[in-house]
């Protein structure tokens, strides 16, 4: 673990100093996918697969759009890689924010919630280190517009989950429902990760 973050640190330094391609970024896609699978399994093993009967009434109140509809990426879009990176990062950050909220009613075994949050954090750092999709100077460019729209849509989806938790006073039912809604987000992330090239080519 220490080795890993140490290498990441060096990686940033190298890219900053001399545009030399970095070992740690070469397999960005594979690493992201692996970390995503670990997190998906951690979440899955700590939640139920269906909404508990006593929570159905709360669930009906939360009328959410389908997770898959949050953001669709056009395969022919020249910005699809940047949109995918932005989407993955925003979803991870939003999931992290949700799990920072009052979780006294959450029942996760052992230190698995801690591991889950560390996993999220590592994925976010990986994306930041290996080519974040930065906004351009020209704030009116169509690329910027697409990236902003991507983030906005994702934020809106999670805002609803967050409001729901707060309105339901972070009850056990609210958490059960929210977690079940978050699970498909990891499948969505996996779908976006496939758009991110596994090899980052950097010019010398
Ligand atoms: C957190 O949520 C629980 C369960 O609803 C509640 O009893 C507790 O007062 C809350 N804590 C804070 C700091 O809001």
């Amino acid at each position: 673990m220490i080795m890993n973050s140490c290498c990441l640190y060096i990686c940033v330094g190298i890219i900053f100093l001399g545009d030399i391609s970095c070992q740690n970024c070469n397999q960005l896609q594979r690493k992201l996918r692996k970390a995503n699978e670990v997190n998906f399994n951690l979440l899955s093993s700590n939640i139920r697969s269906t909404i508990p009967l006593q929570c159905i009434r709360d669930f009906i109140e939360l009328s959410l759009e389908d997770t898959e509809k949050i953001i669709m990426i056009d395969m022919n879009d020249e910005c699809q890689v940047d949109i995918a990176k932005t989407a993955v990062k925003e979803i991870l950050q939003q999931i992290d924010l949700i799990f920072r909220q009052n979780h006294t009613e959450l029942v996760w075994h052992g230190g698995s919630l801690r591991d889950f949050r560390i996993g999220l954090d590592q994925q976010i750092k990986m994306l930041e280190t290996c080519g974040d999709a930065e906004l351009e100077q020209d704030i009116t460019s169509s690329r910027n517009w697409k990236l902003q729209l991507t983030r906005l849509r994702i934020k809106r989806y999670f805002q609803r989950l967050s409001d729901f938790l707060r309105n339901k006073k972070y009850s056990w039912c609210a958490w059960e429902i929210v977690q079940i809604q978050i699970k498909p987000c990891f499948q969505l992330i996996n779908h976006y990760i496939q758009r991110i090239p596994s090899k980052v080519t950097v010019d010398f």
Side-chain angles (χ1 to χ4, degrees), residues 68-197:
E68 296 91 58
K69 291 201 187 121
I70 298 180
I71 183 88
M72 300 299 243
I73 302 182
D74 179 359
M75 293 278 270
N76 298 317
D77 193 326
E78 57 179 11
C79 304
Q80 60 163 306
V81 172
D82 283 343
I83 294 174
K85 279 183 182 171
T86 301
V88 171
K89 192 172 158 204
E90 191 62 45
I91 295 171
L92 291 169
Q93 283 175 330
Q94 292 296 327
I95 293 174
D96 184 53
L97 280 176
I98 291 277
F99 281 91
R100 276 169 197 268
Q101 300 191 30
N102 179 348
H103 51 257
T104 49
E105 297 287 318
L106 264 193
V107 273
W108 281 47
H109 50 74
S112 55
L113 184 58
R114 195 180 130 266
D115 292 344
F116 178 74
R117 290 183 54 191
I118 290 173
L120 289 175
D121 198 49
Q122 282 177 340
Q123 272 186 294
I124 294 167
K125 287 212 168 73
M126 252 185 251
L127 274 164
E128 281 171 351
T129 311
C130 300
D132 218 350
E134 292 291 339
L135 292 181
E136 287 162 354
Q137 293 279 2
D138 174 13
I139 53 163
T140 59
S141 76
S142 84
R143 177 182 166 279
N144 275 9
W145 171 245
K146 286 174 194 166
L147 298 188
Q148 300 275 35
L149 196 67
T150 302
R151 296 184 61 199
L152 216 65
R153 282 199 185 145
I154 294 164
K155 276 190 173 143
R156 199 179 50 196
Y157 180 85
F158 282 93
Q159 189 61 52
R160 288 174 115 179
L161 290 180
S162 197
D163 291 346
F164 178 73
L165 272 176
R166 197 184 55 244
N167 293 338
K168 295 288 166 190
K169 300 191 168 57
Y170 310 97
S171 68
W172 176 78
C173 266
W175 270 113
E176 288 296 312
I177 294 167
V178 164
Q179 290 182 108
I180 288 173
Q181 300 303 312
I182 285 178
K183 197 172 147 186
C185 292
F186 284 98
Q187 282 152 330
L188 193 68
I189 289 175
N190 214 31
H191 167 75
Y192 293 144
I193 286 173
Q194 283 161 28
R195 307 285 175 89
I196 299 174

